[in-house]
Amino acid sequence: MGKKGKLEKFAELNSFKNVYQSFEVNSPNLRRSDGEMVQLKGKWAEHFGNDNPITLELACGKGEYTIGLAKMYPKRNFIGMDAKGNRIWKGAKYALEEGKLPNVAFIRSQIDFIEQYFAAGEVQEIWITFADPQLGKPRKRLSSPLFLPRYKNILAADGQMHLKTDSPELYEYSLEMIEEQKLQLHEDHDDIYSLAEQKPEWEIKTYYEKMHLEKGLTIKYLRFSF
Ligand SMILES: C[S@@+](CC[C@H](N)C(=O)[O-])C[C@H]1O[C@@H](n2cnc3c(N)ncnc32)[C@H](O)[C@@H]1O
């Protein structure tokens, strides 16, 4: 069978029970697969049928971290978030059909609306994976002062942030923001695969990471909290 086109993926995505989507421009409203509008803030335990801790992957693309971590930690829940439906389709389809991962869900919407989707303290961990470095537009970076307070508002008191990137600009900028905002930096590596000790989570390689590795770029990682 040939590769599915974007329209076919969008149509399929609309039927996936593990996906919530925003269909209106600049609106945080989310709909589930039967078209009903849903309020998920503070209610993720109802979706998952348990109150296991939640990890959120931002700019998840095809959701490699969401899927990979969900397999590693079946007693935790994982939610990938991205604006692009044809990318989310890959992870959501895998979670439903091949991986059969009930601990996975996806939100197709703007990360800017994150506080509308999660209550204070509802999220235990956030991964930012290979986000666009937004060269020339620092305010739009996912580690900018525009976004950091929103993450703080939804994270548990002992919640953790993980940032994995190939971009020296995003890495340096995130370090500056961590210092400027007086956040706690727990791990800082500018070339993770050169280290003798590897975190099991780093074994997960995203679509963009693979492209960067093929070009010989080094991968950077930060773990911090508020
Ligand atoms: C460079 S890709 C990385 C995707 C994936 N994490 C990977 O490593 O393969 C960046 C992703 O961020 C998403 N993105 C950027 N800004 C966003 C925003 N404000 N809200 C939702 N998604 C966003 C884009 O749609 C894109 O899929």
Side-chain angles (χ1 to χ4, degrees):
M1 216 167 79
K3 270 194 155 185
K4 282 190 202 296
K6 257 191 192 182
L7 290 180
E8 224 178 324
K9 287 182 185 172
F10 289 148
E12 248 187 54
L13 193 72
N14 293 349
S15 71
F16 289 170
K17 289 199 162 56
N18 60 355
V19 178
Y20 297 96
Q21 304 187 68
S22 157
F23 291 96
E24 299 141 58
V25 179
N26 286 332
S27 158
N29 294 342
L30 290 182
R31 291 179 191 275
R32 59 184 192 206
S33 56
D34 63 4
E36 279 295 304
M37 199 117 86
V38 280
Q39 294 291 341
L40 292 160
K41 184 172 176 162
K43 295 188 182 153
W44 282 96
E46 285 175 27
H47 166 89
F48 288 112
N50 61 58
D51 60 359
N52 292 344
I54 291 174
T55 296
L56 191 57
E57 182 191 6
L58 299 179
C60 71
K62 299 179 184 190
E64 288 90 347
Y65 259 82
T66 300
I67 295 290
L69 292 172
K71 285 183 178 171
M72 274 184 198
Y73 303 104
K75 293 256 155 68
R76 299 175 71 96
N77 295 322
F78 296 87
I79 301 167
M81 194 167 170
D82 201 289
K84 295 205 170 143
N86 56 321
R87 292 190 176 163
I88 278 184
W89 171 86
K90 178 105 193 269
K93 187 172 177 76
Y94 180 91
L96 280 177
E97 294 177 3
E98 284 175 66
K100 303 205 186 315
L101 296 165
N103 57 337
V104 164
F106 287 92
I107 299 174
R108 183 179 67 76
S109 182
Q110 294 293 330
I111 293 161
D112 314 49
F113 297 133
I114 200 168
E115 288 165 288
Q116 316 256 2
Y117 306 142
F118 299 95
E122 196 172 15
V123 175
Q124 191 60 42
E125 278 191 327
I126 294 178
W127 278 80
I128 300 176
T129 54
F130 297 91
D132 189 329
Q134 300 283 359
L135 300 175
K137 288 183 258 168
R139 268 188 79 247
K140 289 188 137 193
R141 291 177 182 154
L142 290 184
S143 53
S144 81
L146 193 70
F147 286 97
L148 288 170
R150 297 174 182 172
Y151 307 152
K152 185 180 180 192
N153 287 344
I154 62 166
L155 273 175
D158 59 349
Q160 299 278 315
M161 297 287 309
H162 306 260
L163 185 140
K164 205 180 180 196
T165 183
D166 61 295
S167 161
E169 290 84 0
L170 183 61
Y171 167 71
E172 293 295 343
Y173 174 84
S174 303
L175 276 173
E176 278 170 35
M177 290 306 114
I178 289 168
E179 197 181 333
E180 189 187 289
Q181 307 276 316
K182 302 196 175 16
L183 312 185
Q184 296 172 55
L185 181 60
H186 304 293
E187 284 184 75
D188 167 13
H189 305 296
D190 66 358
D191 181 3
I192 53 175
Y193 301 124
S194 70
L195 299 172
E197 208 173 312
Q198 296 286 306
K199 270 174 138 37
E201 288 86 350
W202 294 344
E203 277 171 28
I204 302 165
K205 308 281 191 296
T206 72
Y207 176 74
Y208 273 83
E209 177 170 6
K210 283 183 194 153
M211 289 200 299
H212 299 315
L213 288 171
E214 272 170 28
K215 286 190 208 147
L217 299 178
T218 55
I219 305 301
K220 296 121 185 30
Y221 169 79
L222 297 172
R223 180 167 68 85
F224 59 99
S225 61
F226 292 93

